[in-house]
Amino acid sequence: MSILNTFQQQFHPMLPRPNHDERSRQEFAKSLRGYIQSQILPGLMPLYRKIMPDTSKRPTRAEVRAAMEKQPYFQFYASLNRVAQELMWHSVIDTIERDLPRMEAEAERLEGTIGSLKLNPEMEVPRYVTEVDIHCMPGGYAAEFDRKGIAAGALYDRGVYLYSMGYGGPFNDDKGRSVCNYIKRNFRGFEPKRILDMGCTMGFSTLPYKELFPAAEVWGIDVAAPLVRYAHLRAAGLGVEIHFAQMNAEKTDFPDEHFDLVVSHILLHETSGKALPRVMKECFRLLRSGGYMIHADLPPFDRMDPLNQFILDNETYYNNEPFWSAMRDMDLVALAKEAGFDPESVRFDTAPMAIREFSKATGYDQGKTEQIAKRDFKAGEFAPGGWEVLIARKP
Ligand SMILES: C[S@@+](CC[C@H](N)C(=O)[O-])C[C@H]1O[C@@H](n2cnc3c(N)ncnc32)[C@H](O)[C@@H]1O
């Protein structure tokens, strides 16, 4: 197995700094994921054709699962994937434990230097966030492990870089950057003055909006205090003015019609069947007339073939993502219309991955991103075709 040579993560003052041995362990965890995705996952396709030879009828996801789960090759793939996921998080924990005093000193230096942070200790964090170690991340998003409450943010920051195998770009901001490019190309003349990013985690995707619209007031909200705390410090370390607040996207503290643009990036699949319609209604309330709501994620299941549905569905089965599949079965277009958005405006579209465009233009990764994008298997690793965006405009 060779080391996966993709983007290296850009260091900033808050990012835990691995030493030599920790770094090589993290690179191993990243490359193991790359190996599984590029060498083992594609083997499921010939297996699927062999065990489901009747091409006259489209099987359901449940039928694919019933047949696949009996296959030793699939069992091997699924077990290895789970082991790689756990290994990935654990490879970062040692670094955080060793580097925490330095990170705490940086936190004290950066706090309040640029942008703002508003925490709400009274806020009840929803059960769908507190009750699960989401995607096997030890402690989940809301865990307060350490004196300054920054460890969970640090774990996610480095962990997600390894999870996405570098394909999120040096700042892990591909989702935000891709949606920004989409807005720039498709909404000519649209100059939002206030922008809200819901479920911002550490603000990876939030920062590109400030770059695209420097005059705008940009907000990132998340229910988890350790994440917005870290997001504030990370943005300050990078010198970008963003306002972060601990708020629930189902019911925020902002006044009606406060924003011109409300976005989210892979938030919806981490909420719940009850919360998601409330988030849509809240977006509607928060937008001024003519404002846009854009939610970026992977495509709904009805836009995917049964095998790719099954591959993604394994996130719910084996990667602690309880709502991952249920959300992809929901009719989000209908929900947006019910929330009050202009029915003519509500649609899905694809925002091409900014990183792919960058790789193509510069040859940075010698065409690797392109190669992965072209092969049969693409679901569940990152989004080679682009991010699926649900777009709606308030009348
Ligand atoms: C997968 S992460 C989002 C990643 C991030 N947007 C990015 O682009 O890197 C999902 C985030 O949504 C947050 N979240 C879940 N439910 C929420 C809610 N109701 N309101 C606000 N944030 C929520 C979680 O705490 C978590 O940080």
Side-chain angles (χ1 to χ4, degrees):
M1 188 181 94
S2 59
I3 291 290
L4 185 66
N5 186 21
T6 52
F7 285 96
Q8 285 301 320
Q9 186 170 16
Q10 179 69 42
F11 280 85
H12 57 78
M14 291 309 299
L15 190 70
R17 299 215 166 142
N19 62 24
H20 172 276
D21 289 5
E22 291 159 2
R23 195 180 185 121
S24 58
R25 191 166 163 225
Q26 289 167 15
E27 282 296 329
F28 173 78
K30 178 179 112 183
S31 299
L32 178 60
R33 268 189 61 71
Y35 182 77
I36 295 167
Q37 300 288 347
S38 65
Q39 305 300 317
I40 300 182
L41 176 64
L44 293 179
M45 175 64 100
L47 178 65
Y48 171 71
R49 288 198 196 108
K50 190 169 138 207
I51 62 174
M52 310 214 80
D54 181 5
T55 50
S56 62
K57 131 178 183 310
R58 185 181 156 101
T60 63
R61 196 162 74 237
E63 284 165 347
V64 179
R65 175 165 303 285
M68 277 289 197
E69 278 186 345
K70 297 190 194 99
Q71 301 295 320
Y73 186 87
F74 170 73
Q75 293 165 0
F76 169 67
Y77 156 78
S79 317
L80 194 60
N81 217 17
R82 170 70 183 230
V83 169
Q85 182 77 0
E86 293 185 11
L87 189 84
M88 177 195 90
W89 294 117
H90 286 281
S91 75
V92 181
I93 289 174
D94 286 352
T95 307
I96 296 176
E97 285 178 350
R98 190 187 42 71
D99 201 28
L100 199 57
R102 185 199 61 79
M103 288 158 56
E104 285 177 345
E106 288 291 6
E108 272 157 33
R109 180 178 71 80
L110 290 165
E111 248 157 22
T113 50
I114 184 170
S116 65
L117 172 67
K118 202 170 136 202
L119 296 174
N120 181 1
E122 306 304 315
M123 200 193 82
E124 202 179 322
V125 181
R127 277 189 66 234
Y128 53 79
V129 170
T130 54
E131 292 295 299
V132 64
D133 278 7
I134 189 81
H135 33 60
C136 304
M137 175 183 168
Y141 290 129
E144 300 272 7
F145 295 118
D146 53 314
R147 193 173 61 89
K148 285 197 84 62
I150 50 177
L155 179 60
Y156 189 81
D157 193 347
R158 186 67 181 155
V160 160
Y161 162 75
L162 302 175
Y163 176 82
S164 53
M165 301 172 288
Y167 289 110
F171 291 97
N172 271 331
D173 61 0
D174 184 69
K175 293 180 282 302
R177 212 160 269 288
S178 306
V179 177
C180 279
N181 284 349
Y182 183 91
I183 292 173
K184 204 159 52 181
R185 286 170 193 160
N186 295 285
F187 300 178
R188 289 192 192 276
F190 179 57
E191 282 289 333
K193 291 192 184 65
R194 286 207 196 98
I195 302 170
L196 173 64
D197 180 16
M198 292 176 153
C200 64
T201 319
M202 34 246 12
F204 291 144
S205 302
T206 324
L207 269 58
Y209 290 88
K210 187 69 184 170
E211 190 180 311
L212 179 62
F213 300 111
E217 185 180 300
V218 179
W219 283 83
I221 60 163
D222 202 287
V223 277
L227 302 183
V228 277
R229 214 180 272 129
Y230 186 90
H232 167 62
L233 298 167
R234 177 180 179 272
L238 290 165
V240 185
E241 187 190 13
I242 308 278
H243 303 284
F244 289 101
Q246 182 186 11
M247 284 190 208
N248 188 336
E250 295 173 54
K251 191 176 184 313
T252 68
D253 301 340
F254 299 110
D256 291 355
E257 306 192 353
H258 195 63
F259 291 97
D260 307 285
L261 174 64
V262 178
V263 294
S264 81
H265 314 81
I266 62 168
L267 158 74
L268 299 183
H269 76 259
E270 289 191 3
T271 60
S272 75
K274 283 194 184 137
L276 201 154
R278 291 187 199 135
V279 172
M280 295 266 185
K281 288 193 180 121
E282 184 65 358
C283 292
F284 186 82
R285 182 184 77 77
L286 291 175
L287 282 168
R288 63 144 172 95
S289 165
Y292 284 95
M293 160 179 99
I294 307 182
H295 297 290
D297 213 302
L298 293 175
F301 277 149
D302 62 6
R303 294 174 162 237
M304 255 179 236
D305 63 74
L307 181 56
N308 267 320
Q309 286 186 30
F310 162 73
I311 307 270
L312 274 188
D313 192 34
N314 289 323
E315 295 289 309
T316 290
Y317 274 74
Y318 310 121
N319 196 25
N320 286 12
E321 290 268 13
F323 192 48
W324 177 281
S325 295
M327 173 263 183
R328 279 171 234 290
D329 274 333
M330 286 172 87
D331 187 345
L332 300 187
V333 168
L335 283 180
K337 288 180 185 167
E338 276 162 32
F341 287 94
D342 172 6
E344 297 289 304
S345 74
V346 184
R347 64 189 186 279
F348 273 109
D349 202 352
T350 304
M353 268 183 90
I355 214 73
R356 243 184 102 181
E357 297 183 329
F358 176 82
S359 290
K360 208 170 174 178
T362 60
Y364 180 90
D365 62 352
Q366 291 113 35
K368 272 203 200 91
T369 315
E370 276 302 296
Q371 269 169 33
I372 294 182
K374 275 185 193 134
R375 63 163 210 263
D376 274 339
F377 275 88
K378 44 185 192 251
E381 41 185 325
F382 64 113
W387 299 101
E388 202 75 3
V389 281
L390 174 72
I391 302 170
R393 187 172 176 273
K394 183 162 175 174

